[in-house]
Amino acid sequence: MSDETPVCSAKGCRADAVWVLAWNNPKIHTPERRKTWLACEGHREHLSQFLGVRGFLKDVVAFEEWQAPEGA
């Protein structure tokens, strides 16, 4: 585990992550697989829309509440 503060996944953003966007691409991932992007408050909506339009977004959870699935 790293001591570094996780940062937003938006291109060029270095803000602290406060949200976890769990997603999966059903064309290449099994239904239970979850990939994650991190988002700051300012990029949460943009990243959620990007994934949502494609049908990839599965869940948005506050970073401090996120628990990765077992075996991840």
Side-chain angles (χ1 to χ4, degrees):
M1 196 90 170
S2 173
D3 288 337
E4 292 183 36
T5 301
V7 297
C8 181
S9 298
K11 185 175 182 176
C13 185
R14 301 309 301 158
D16 291 351
V18 279
W19 297 99
V20 175
L21 286 65
W23 62 278
N24 116 348
N25 180 341
K27 291 183 180 179
I28 61 174
H29 301 128
T30 58
E32 65 279 353
R33 172 109 188 252
R34 292 295 181 265
K35 306 277 285 173
T36 57
W37 281 356
L38 303 177
C40 65
E41 201 62 58
H43 286 112
R44 174 188 171 195
E45 188 64 30
H46 172 74
L47 294 174
S48 293
Q49 286 180 356
F50 180 90
L51 293 168
V53 164
R54 290 157 179 79
F56 295 175
L57 186 63
K58 302 300 178 194
D59 204 6
V60 178
V61 180
F63 182 80
E64 64 267 0
E65 295 174 14
W66 173 252
Q67 292 183 338
E70 285 189 34

